[in-house]
Amino acid sequence: MSAAPSLHAPEHTARRRRRPASHGRATAAARLGRWTLLLCAALLVLAGLFPDLVAPGDPLAVDPSRAFRSPGWGHPFGTDESGRDVFTRVVHGAGPSLFIGVTATVLGVGLGAVLGLVTGLGGRRVDAAGSRLVDAMLAFPTLLLALLVIAVRGPGVAGVVVAVGLSSAPGYARLLRSEVRRVARSGHVEAARMLGHSPARIVVQHVLPGALGPLLAVATLGIGQAIVWASALGYLGLGAPPPEPEWGAMLNAGRTYITNAWWMTVFPGLATVAVGVVATLLGRRTSARLAGRRASDG
């Protein structure tokens, strides 16, 4: 009777030893992924704010004798039809692309926050009217709504910012409305009402801090999405005019030579995808942390 546990003891010990090892490997992989993500984000920010540190040179410098050079030692991303270095143009294009994405996201979050707060805190009629407006805007495909705004506002960087910002505002408004209503029904808000706090104080001190967190996490995702939309509009010729080093405009210029000079299209496209992936991963990590805090608070 006493021998049976001893026969299984080594197996239990081996299981205990295997679990910490696998857990340590998973933790190390997660830590490596986190630092890789932060490094990529830092490189993108560095390229956007200080492009001369990454790629010193003039992105508009023309040298016809070096036109259509394939990627190599002197030009890692090759050259375009005018002999301009594609690597320099891609790095210098990070600034305009990030500016459009961040500015459009700020505009969309601001408009969505106002509409979401009004519908979430207003009465039944205000909520119904605001919800119908949001539903009507969401009925349009995002790119189509952006094209309609540009048709009224006009092409260019300012037009793209306004178009992408207005197109993303309904999604932020719907999210904030639901968060405001959730927080307004929570226990600490009810306790603040019972203590006699004014409605303005309750909104500022209790409702907004609890409702804006998820909105900011989604806004991080929205930056990458806004850059992709802005690049799509630039590809259609509605963004920055050539020869500005903007990724969408570079895609538009390179599509004519894609069979002979593929690098003119591939590298600006990869840069757009990289920004979208980094912003998406950052947004997911932020959302996961907020969800963990909610679970611990609850």
Side-chain angles (χ1 to χ4, degrees):
M1 297 295 289
S2 60
S6 63
L7 291 175
H8 294 283
E11 182 180 354
H12 290 299
T13 304
R15 288 181 181 176
R16 291 194 192 99
R17 289 177 181 175
R18 282 198 297 269
R19 286 176 183 173
S22 61
H23 179 71
R25 286 194 295 269
T27 303
R31 188 181 299 111
L32 178 61
R34 181 170 61 251
W35 283 108
T36 303
L37 177 61
L38 293 177
L39 178 61
C40 293
L43 288 175
L44 290 172
V45 173
L46 179 65
L49 297 179
F50 308 102
D52 291 328
L53 296 178
V54 182
D58 186 4
L60 303 179
V62 175
D63 188 358
S65 63
R66 299 183 177 182
F68 296 117
R69 290 197 176 183
S70 59
W73 178 255
H75 303 282
F77 288 0
T79 61
D80 62 7
E81 75 279 6
S82 300
R84 295 173 295 217
D85 184 64
V86 177
F87 175 74
T88 303
R89 289 177 59 78
V90 168
V91 172
H92 284 257
S97 298
L98 288 175
F99 171 78
I100 292 174
V102 173
T103 308
T105 303
V106 170
L107 177 62
V109 170
L111 295 175
V114 173
L115 186 57
L117 284 174
V118 170
T119 55
L121 297 175
R124 184 176 301 176
R125 293 183 179 179
V126 174
D127 183 27
S131 298
R132 297 294 80 77
L133 176 61
V134 171
D135 291 340
M137 296 179 70
L138 289 174
F140 285 91
T142 303
L143 190 58
L144 177 59
L145 183 59
L147 291 174
L148 291 176
V149 174
I150 288 181
V152 177
R153 178 64 176 77
V157 174
V160 171
V161 169
V162 174
V164 176
L166 288 178
S167 302
S168 60
Y172 296 129
R174 172 167 287 184
L175 173 64
L176 187 61
R177 172 189 173 275
S178 62
E179 289 296 321
V180 165
R181 287 187 169 272
R182 179 187 64 82
V183 176
R185 292 192 295 265
S186 61
H188 64 278
V189 174
E190 293 294 335
R193 290 196 185 98
M194 294 178 63
L195 291 174
H197 293 176
S198 64
R201 182 180 176 183
I202 293 175
V203 170
V204 173
Q205 292 186 355
H206 300 282
V207 176
L208 285 181
L212 290 181
L215 180 65
L216 295 179
V218 174
T220 306
L221 293 167
I223 293 176
Q225 193 175 35
I227 291 176
V228 173
W229 289 343
S231 297
L233 294 174
Y235 177 78
L236 296 175
L238 302 175
E244 290 296 323
E246 193 270 328
W247 293 338
M250 294 175 66
L251 288 172
N252 184 28
R255 63 185 176 87
T256 307
Y257 312 100
I258 192 170
T259 56
N260 299 322
W262 52 267
W263 53 87
M264 293 177 57
T265 306
V266 169
F267 290 113
L270 288 177
T272 305
V273 172
V275 172
V277 170
V278 169
T280 300
L281 293 178
L282 286 175
R284 287 183 176 179
R285 284 186 174 274
T286 306
S287 299
R289 287 193 173 186
L290 287 174
R293 288 181 181 178
R294 277 194 208 170
S296 61
D297 292 340

